Amino acid sequence: MNYKVQAILSIDTDNLPENFDVILKEEQAVVAQWKQEGILEHLFLRDTKNGAILLFNGLSEDEVKEKMKTLPFYQIKKHIEYYNLIQQF
């Protein structure tokens, strides 16, 4: 089955750590690796600048949840929502 899972990540912008710039660079490296591996189809930044929407390909929701825990931004998350999607042709 070709899984598509959307993760909506919100970060706590009111309590950003002093090393946020370092965390951001680490985050970008992880996302680039996921894109290279083909498991991350798209990443959209939210216009409110408080998070992102990630569209995963080929992973179950449980697998996506485990991957999300490895993101550097996970430590400053406020909330994450997960949605299983069915692509209509």
Side-chain angles (χ1 to χ4, degrees):
M1 176 174 247
N2 188 14
Y3 294 106
K4 298 269 187 199
V5 178
Q6 179 179 336
I8 302 174
L9 170 68
S10 298
I11 60 172
D12 187 359
T13 55
D14 293 329
N15 296 301
L16 294 178
E18 289 183 24
N19 67 338
F20 179 77
D21 291 340
V22 173
I23 296 170
L24 176 60
K25 289 184 190 310
E26 293 170 353
E27 180 85 4
Q28 291 168 338
V30 171
V31 167
Q33 180 64 36
W34 289 353
K35 284 185 177 181
Q36 184 178 349
E37 292 172 7
I39 61 171
L40 184 65
E41 190 171 321
H42 296 289
L43 177 123
F44 299 94
L45 299 178
R46 295 172 56 186
D47 65 348
T48 54
K49 299 183 180 174
N50 69 340
I53 299 168
L54 300 92
L55 182 59
F56 288 89
N57 185 42
L59 299 177
S60 69
E61 182 176 339
D62 288 338
E63 291 170 318
V64 168
K65 287 179 179 179
E66 289 304 310
K67 285 285 187 192
M68 291 294 289
K69 289 178 186 176
T70 69
L71 274 179
F73 276 4
Y74 191 83
Q75 63 184 311
I76 58 172
K77 75 174 175 13
K78 190 173 191 177
H79 188 266
I80 301 178
E81 296 176 62
Y82 299 95
Y83 296 95
N84 288 291
L85 305 174
I86 299 170
Q87 187 170 2
Q88 186 176 11
F89 297 96

Short mmCIF file of all heavy atoms in Angstrom, two decimals, residues 15-55:
data_model
loop_
_atom_site.label_atom_id
_atom_site.label_comp_id
_atom_site.label_asym_id
_atom_site.label_seq_id
_atom_site.Cartn_x
_atom_site.Cartn_y
_atom_site.Cartn_z
N ASN A 15 8.71 30.37 23.40
CA ASN A 15 9.77 29.85 24.27
C ASN A 15 10.90 29.23 23.46
O ASN A 15 11.35 28.12 23.76
CB ASN A 15 9.20 28.81 25.24
CG ASN A 15 8.19 29.42 26.18
OD1 ASN A 15 8.51 30.34 26.91
ND2 ASN A 15 6.96 28.92 26.13
N LEU A 16 11.38 29.94 22.44
CA LEU A 16 12.46 29.41 21.62
C LEU A 16 13.77 29.43 22.40
O LEU A 16 14.07 30.41 23.09
CB LEU A 16 12.61 30.23 20.34
CG LEU A 16 11.44 30.17 19.37
CD1 LEU A 16 11.71 31.07 18.17
CD2 LEU A 16 11.17 28.75 18.92
N PRO A 17 14.56 28.36 22.28
CA PRO A 17 15.84 28.34 22.98
C PRO A 17 16.84 29.30 22.33
O PRO A 17 16.68 29.69 21.17
CB PRO A 17 16.30 26.88 22.82
CG PRO A 17 15.56 26.38 21.63
CD PRO A 17 14.27 27.14 21.56
N GLU A 18 17.87 29.65 23.07
CA GLU A 18 18.88 30.57 22.56
C GLU A 18 19.61 30.01 21.35
O GLU A 18 20.07 30.77 20.50
CB GLU A 18 19.87 30.92 23.66
CG GLU A 18 19.28 31.81 24.73
CD GLU A 18 20.31 32.20 25.78
OE1 GLU A 18 21.52 32.20 25.49
OE2 GLU A 18 19.87 32.53 26.90
N ASN A 19 19.72 28.71 21.27
CA ASN A 19 20.43 28.08 20.15
C ASN A 19 19.48 27.70 19.01
O ASN A 19 19.74 26.76 18.26
CB ASN A 19 21.20 26.85 20.63
CG ASN A 19 20.30 25.72 21.10
OD1 ASN A 19 19.13 25.95 21.46
ND2 ASN A 19 20.82 24.52 21.11
N PHE A 20 18.41 28.45 18.84
CA PHE A 20 17.42 28.14 17.80
C PHE A 20 18.06 28.06 16.42
O PHE A 20 17.70 27.19 15.62
CB PHE A 20 16.29 29.18 17.80
CG PHE A 20 15.27 28.92 16.74
CD1 PHE A 20 14.32 27.93 16.91
CD2 PHE A 20 15.25 29.68 15.57
CE1 PHE A 20 13.37 27.67 15.92
CE2 PHE A 20 14.31 29.43 14.58
CZ PHE A 20 13.37 28.43 14.76
N ASP A 21 18.99 28.94 16.11
CA ASP A 21 19.64 28.92 14.79
C ASP A 21 20.36 27.60 14.54
O ASP A 21 20.34 27.08 13.43
CB ASP A 21 20.62 30.08 14.65
CG ASP A 21 19.91 31.42 14.57
OD1 ASP A 21 18.70 31.44 14.26
OD2 ASP A 21 20.56 32.45 14.81
N VAL A 22 20.98 27.05 15.58
CA VAL A 22 21.67 25.76 15.46
C VAL A 22 20.64 24.66 15.23
O VAL A 22 20.83 23.79 14.37
CB VAL A 22 22.50 25.47 16.73
CG1 VAL A 22 23.08 24.07 16.70
CG2 VAL A 22 23.60 26.52 16.89
N ILE A 23 19.57 24.68 15.99
CA ILE A 23 18.51 23.68 15.85
C ILE A 23 17.90 23.75 14.44
O ILE A 23 17.63 22.71 13.83
CB ILE A 23 17.42 23.86 16.93
CG1 ILE A 23 18.02 23.61 18.31
CG2 ILE A 23 16.24 22.92 16.68
CD1 ILE A 23 17.10 23.99 19.45
N LEU A 24 17.72 24.96 13.92
CA LEU A 24 17.16 25.14 12.58
C LEU A 24 18.06 24.49 11.52
O LEU A 24 17.57 23.79 10.63
CB LEU A 24 16.98 26.62 12.27
CG LEU A 24 16.50 26.98 10.87
CD1 LEU A 24 15.15 26.35 10.56
CD2 LEU A 24 16.45 28.49 10.71
N LYS A 25 19.35 24.68 11.62
CA LYS A 25 20.29 24.07 10.66
C LYS A 25 20.25 22.54 10.76
O LYS A 25 20.28 21.84 9.74
CB LYS A 25 21.70 24.58 10.89
CG LYS A 25 21.90 26.02 10.47
CD LYS A 25 23.33 26.44 10.64
CE LYS A 25 23.57 27.92 10.47
NZ LYS A 25 23.04 28.55 9.32
N GLU A 26 20.16 22.02 11.98
CA GLU A 26 20.05 20.57 12.17
C GLU A 26 18.75 20.05 11.56
O GLU A 26 18.72 18.98 10.94
CB GLU A 26 20.13 20.22 13.65
CG GLU A 26 21.48 20.50 14.27
CD GLU A 26 21.47 20.38 15.80
OE1 GLU A 26 20.39 20.22 16.39
OE2 GLU A 26 22.57 20.47 16.38
N GLU A 27 17.68 20.80 11.76
CA GLU A 27 16.37 20.44 11.21
C GLU A 27 16.44 20.36 9.68
O GLU A 27 15.95 19.41 9.07
CB GLU A 27 15.34 21.49 11.64
CG GLU A 27 13.93 21.24 11.15
CD GLU A 27 13.16 20.30 12.04
OE1 GLU A 27 13.66 19.88 13.09
OE2 GLU A 27 12.02 19.97 11.67
N GLN A 28 17.04 21.36 9.07
CA GLN A 28 17.15 21.40 7.62
C GLN A 28 17.94 20.21 7.08
O GLN A 28 17.60 19.66 6.04
CB GLN A 28 17.78 22.72 7.17
CG GLN A 28 16.87 23.91 7.42
CD GLN A 28 17.57 25.26 7.26
OE1 GLN A 28 18.78 25.36 7.36
NE2 GLN A 28 16.78 26.29 7.00
N ALA A 29 18.98 19.80 7.80
CA ALA A 29 19.78 18.65 7.39
C ALA A 29 18.96 17.36 7.44
O ALA A 29 19.03 16.54 6.52
CB ALA A 29 21.02 18.52 8.26
N VAL A 30 18.17 17.19 8.48
CA VAL A 30 17.33 15.98 8.61
C VAL A 30 16.30 15.95 7.48
O VAL A 30 16.10 14.92 6.82
CB VAL A 30 16.64 15.92 9.99
CG1 VAL A 30 15.61 14.80 10.03
CG2 VAL A 30 17.67 15.75 11.09
N VAL A 31 15.65 17.07 7.24
CA VAL A 31 14.64 17.15 6.18
C VAL A 31 15.26 16.87 4.81
O VAL A 31 14.68 16.14 4.00
CB VAL A 31 13.94 18.54 6.22
CG1 VAL A 31 13.13 18.78 4.96
CG2 VAL A 31 13.05 18.65 7.45
N ALA A 32 16.43 17.40 4.55
CA ALA A 32 17.12 17.14 3.27
C ALA A 32 17.42 15.65 3.12
O ALA A 32 17.26 15.10 2.02
CB ALA A 32 18.40 17.96 3.19
N GLN A 33 17.82 15.01 4.20
CA GLN A 33 18.09 13.57 4.16
C GLN A 33 16.82 12.78 3.85
O GLN A 33 16.83 11.86 3.04
CB GLN A 33 18.70 13.10 5.48
CG GLN A 33 19.01 11.62 5.53
CD GLN A 33 20.07 11.20 4.53
OE1 GLN A 33 21.02 11.92 4.26
NE2 GLN A 33 19.90 10.02 3.96
N TRP A 34 15.72 13.15 4.50
CA TRP A 34 14.45 12.48 4.25
C TRP A 34 14.01 12.64 2.80
O TRP A 34 13.48 11.72 2.18
CB TRP A 34 13.36 12.99 5.18
CG TRP A 34 13.52 12.58 6.60
CD1 TRP A 34 14.42 11.69 7.12
CD2 TRP A 34 12.74 13.02 7.71
NE1 TRP A 34 14.24 11.57 8.48
CE2 TRP A 34 13.23 12.37 8.86
CE3 TRP A 34 11.70 13.91 7.84
CZ2 TRP A 34 12.69 12.58 10.13
CZ3 TRP A 34 11.15 14.14 9.10
CH2 TRP A 34 11.64 13.47 10.22
N LYS A 35 14.21 13.84 2.23
CA LYS A 35 13.86 14.06 0.83
C LYS A 35 14.73 13.19 -0.07
O LYS A 35 14.24 12.60 -1.03
CB LYS A 35 14.01 15.54 0.47
CG LYS A 35 12.89 16.40 1.00
CD LYS A 35 13.03 17.82 0.51
CE LYS A 35 11.87 18.67 0.99
NZ LYS A 35 11.98 20.05 0.49
N GLN A 36 16.00 13.11 0.24
CA GLN A 36 16.92 12.29 -0.54
C GLN A 36 16.52 10.82 -0.47
O GLN A 36 16.61 10.09 -1.47
CB GLN A 36 18.35 12.47 -0.04
CG GLN A 36 19.38 11.74 -0.86
CD GLN A 36 20.79 11.98 -0.36
OE1 GLN A 36 21.04 12.84 0.47
NE2 GLN A 36 21.73 11.21 -0.87
N GLU A 37 16.08 10.37 0.68
CA GLU A 37 15.64 8.97 0.86
C GLU A 37 14.30 8.70 0.19
O GLU A 37 13.90 7.55 0.04
CB GLU A 37 15.53 8.64 2.34
CG GLU A 37 16.85 8.61 3.07
CD GLU A 37 16.69 8.47 4.58
OE1 GLU A 37 15.56 8.25 5.07
OE2 GLU A 37 17.71 8.58 5.28
N GLY A 38 13.56 9.75 -0.16
CA GLY A 38 12.27 9.59 -0.82
C GLY A 38 11.10 9.40 0.13
O GLY A 38 9.99 9.11 -0.31
N ILE A 39 11.32 9.56 1.44
CA ILE A 39 10.21 9.37 2.37
C ILE A 39 9.46 10.68 2.65
O ILE A 39 8.34 10.64 3.13
CB ILE A 39 10.67 8.73 3.71
CG1 ILE A 39 11.69 9.60 4.42
CG2 ILE A 39 11.19 7.33 3.47
CD1 ILE A 39 12.02 9.12 5.83
N LEU A 40 10.09 11.81 2.36
CA LEU A 40 9.42 13.09 2.52
C LEU A 40 9.14 13.66 1.14
O LEU A 40 10.06 13.97 0.38
CB LEU A 40 10.27 14.07 3.33
CG LEU A 40 9.59 15.41 3.62
CD1 LEU A 40 8.36 15.22 4.51
CD2 LEU A 40 10.57 16.37 4.28
N GLU A 41 7.86 13.74 0.81
CA GLU A 41 7.46 14.21 -0.51
C GLU A 41 7.48 15.74 -0.58
O GLU A 41 7.95 16.32 -1.55
CB GLU A 41 6.07 13.68 -0.83
CG GLU A 41 5.64 13.91 -2.25
CD GLU A 41 4.35 13.17 -2.57
OE1 GLU A 41 4.17 12.02 -2.12
OE2 GLU A 41 3.53 13.75 -3.30
N HIS A 42 6.92 16.39 0.44
CA HIS A 42 6.85 17.85 0.46
C HIS A 42 6.99 18.36 1.88
O HIS A 42 6.61 17.68 2.84
CB HIS A 42 5.50 18.35 -0.08
CG HIS A 42 5.24 18.03 -1.50
ND1 HIS A 42 5.91 18.64 -2.54
CD2 HIS A 42 4.39 17.16 -2.07
CE1 HIS A 42 5.47 18.16 -3.68
NE2 HIS A 42 4.55 17.25 -3.43
N LEU A 43 7.52 19.57 1.99
CA LEU A 43 7.54 20.30 3.25
C LEU A 43 7.07 21.71 2.95
O LEU A 43 7.59 22.37 2.05
CB LEU A 43 8.95 20.35 3.84
CG LEU A 43 9.00 21.18 5.13
CD1 LEU A 43 9.54 20.37 6.28
CD2 LEU A 43 9.81 22.43 4.92
N PHE A 44 6.05 22.14 3.66
CA PHE A 44 5.52 23.48 3.50
C PHE A 44 5.69 24.22 4.82
O PHE A 44 5.30 23.71 5.88
CB PHE A 44 4.02 23.45 3.17
CG PHE A 44 3.70 22.73 1.89
CD1 PHE A 44 3.35 21.39 1.90
CD2 PHE A 44 3.76 23.39 0.68
CE1 PHE A 44 3.06 20.72 0.74
CE2 PHE A 44 3.47 22.73 -0.50
CZ PHE A 44 3.11 21.39 -0.48
N LEU A 45 6.29 25.40 4.77
CA LEU A 45 6.36 26.23 5.95
C LEU A 45 5.04 26.94 6.12
O LEU A 45 4.41 27.34 5.15
CB LEU A 45 7.50 27.24 5.83
CG LEU A 45 8.89 26.64 5.67
CD1 LEU A 45 9.92 27.75 5.50
CD2 LEU A 45 9.24 25.76 6.85
N ARG A 46 4.63 27.12 7.35
CA ARG A 46 3.36 27.80 7.62
C ARG A 46 3.59 29.30 7.57
O ARG A 46 4.61 29.80 8.04
CB ARG A 46 2.82 27.34 8.96
CG ARG A 46 2.48 25.85 8.89
CD ARG A 46 2.11 25.23 10.16
NE ARG A 46 1.00 25.91 10.78
CZ ARG A 46 0.56 25.62 11.99
NH1 ARG A 46 1.13 24.67 12.68
NH2 ARG A 46 -0.45 26.26 12.51
N ASP A 47 2.65 30.03 7.00
CA ASP A 47 2.82 31.48 6.86
C ASP A 47 2.87 32.20 8.20
O ASP A 47 3.37 33.31 8.30
CB ASP A 47 1.75 32.08 5.95
CG ASP A 47 0.34 31.97 6.51
OD1 ASP A 47 0.13 31.24 7.50
OD2 ASP A 47 -0.56 32.64 5.95
N THR A 48 2.41 31.54 9.25
CA THR A 48 2.48 32.13 10.59
C THR A 48 3.85 31.95 11.22
O THR A 48 4.09 32.44 12.32
CB THR A 48 1.41 31.47 11.50
OG1 THR A 48 1.60 30.05 11.46
CG2 THR A 48 0.01 31.83 11.04
N LYS A 49 4.73 31.22 10.52
CA LYS A 49 6.11 30.97 10.96
C LYS A 49 6.20 30.24 12.30
O LYS A 49 7.14 30.40 13.04
CB LYS A 49 6.91 32.26 10.98
CG LYS A 49 7.00 32.90 9.62
CD LYS A 49 7.84 34.13 9.63
CE LYS A 49 7.85 34.69 8.21
NZ LYS A 49 8.51 35.94 8.09
N ASN A 50 5.18 29.45 12.58
CA ASN A 50 5.19 28.69 13.83
C ASN A 50 5.17 27.18 13.59
O ASN A 50 4.80 26.42 14.46
CB ASN A 50 4.00 29.08 14.72
CG ASN A 50 2.67 28.63 14.15
OD1 ASN A 50 2.55 28.36 12.96
ND2 ASN A 50 1.66 28.58 14.99
N GLY A 51 5.61 26.77 12.41
CA GLY A 51 5.66 25.35 12.15
C GLY A 51 5.68 25.02 10.67
O GLY A 51 5.94 25.87 9.83
N ALA A 52 5.39 23.75 10.40
CA ALA A 52 5.45 23.26 9.03
C ALA A 52 4.46 22.12 8.83
O ALA A 52 3.98 21.52 9.79
CB ALA A 52 6.86 22.78 8.71
N ILE A 53 4.21 21.84 7.56
CA ILE A 53 3.39 20.71 7.17
C ILE A 53 4.29 19.79 6.36
O ILE A 53 4.92 20.24 5.39
CB ILE A 53 2.17 21.15 6.34
CG1 ILE A 53 1.30 22.08 7.19
CG2 ILE A 53 1.38 19.95 5.84
CD1 ILE A 53 0.23 22.81 6.41
N LEU A 54 4.38 18.56 6.78
CA LEU A 54 5.25 17.58 6.12
C LEU A 54 4.39 16.48 5.52
O LEU A 54 3.50 15.94 6.20
CB LEU A 54 6.23 16.97 7.11
CG LEU A 54 7.18 17.94 7.81
CD1 LEU A 54 6.59 18.44 9.11
CD2 LEU A 54 8.51 17.29 8.06
N LEU A 55 4.63 16.15 4.26
CA LEU A 55 3.89 15.08 3.60
C LEU A 55 4.85 13.91 3.35
O LEU A 55 5.80 14.02 2.58
CB LEU A 55 3.29 15.57 2.28
CG LEU A 55 2.46 14.56 1.51
CD1 LEU A 55 1.27 14.07 2.34
CD2 LEU A 55 1.98 15.14 0.20
#
